[in-house]
Amino acid sequence: MITGIGIDITKHVRIAEILARHGDGFRKRIYSARELKDAVDRPAEFHAGRWAAKEAAAKALGCGFCAKCPPNEIIITNGKDGSPKIRFVGKAKKLFEHKAKHAFVSISHEQESAVAMVIMEK
């Protein structure tokens, strides 16, 4: 049974501007320590995709980003086959475990934007 669906679209230029203004401060606010290693020297397109995936996950949880669901507790990585994977830690994990057992994420890039969708099921 599907228990949550979230989708988000983010323009690459918006993330590029945020990175230019806030750089490491932005990265440290949205990424876990593991994700920070993957994010080093990546283009704005990469960060836009990851941001969209985290936003979509927060929407699927039904709360958006808040004190109970900070973006750095939604972890997006790549599996061995290159496909995106999602997991939750901390307070976000408690929300996830209450709502679902599995989460699936898809990220796609277009010339100017990145879009992501998250589906949760029990």
Side-chain angles (χ1 to χ4, degrees):
M1 172 175 58
I2 292 175
T3 58
I5 298 173
I7 190 167
D8 191 70
I9 187 166
T10 304
K11 290 198 175 283
H12 298 157
V13 68
R14 177 176 167 248
I15 299 301
E17 290 169 355
I18 291 170
L19 287 167
R21 270 195 317 263
H22 302 287
D24 283 343
F26 174 73
R27 287 182 195 91
K28 288 178 181 174
R29 186 173 73 80
I30 70 163
Y31 292 130
S32 68
R34 164 82 198 309
E35 289 173 300
L36 278 171
K37 293 176 187 175
D38 294 339
V40 173
D41 297 325
R42 298 300 290 260
E45 292 84 356
F46 171 87
H47 299 289
R50 296 298 168 103
W51 176 260
K54 289 170 179 271
E55 281 270 14
K59 291 173 183 178
L61 285 171
C63 61
F65 292 137
C66 62
K68 292 188 280 184
C69 187
N72 62 0
E73 291 185 0
I74 300 168
I75 300 173
I76 311 295
T77 57
N78 290 94
K80 291 179 183 179
D81 63 357
S83 65
K85 305 294 180 198
I86 187 168
R87 68 183 180 89
F88 302 87
V89 297
K91 295 172 275 193
K93 182 177 181 179
K94 289 179 184 175
L95 286 172
F96 171 72
E97 289 173 342
H98 179 73
K99 182 158 192 144
K101 289 189 185 260
H102 305 284
F104 306 92
V105 60
S106 181
I107 303 171
S108 186
H109 296 273
E110 179 50 51
Q111 188 173 359
E112 296 179 359
S113 302
V115 64
M117 181 172 191
V118 172
I119 298 174
M120 295 182 179
E121 69 174 11
K122 276 203 173 191

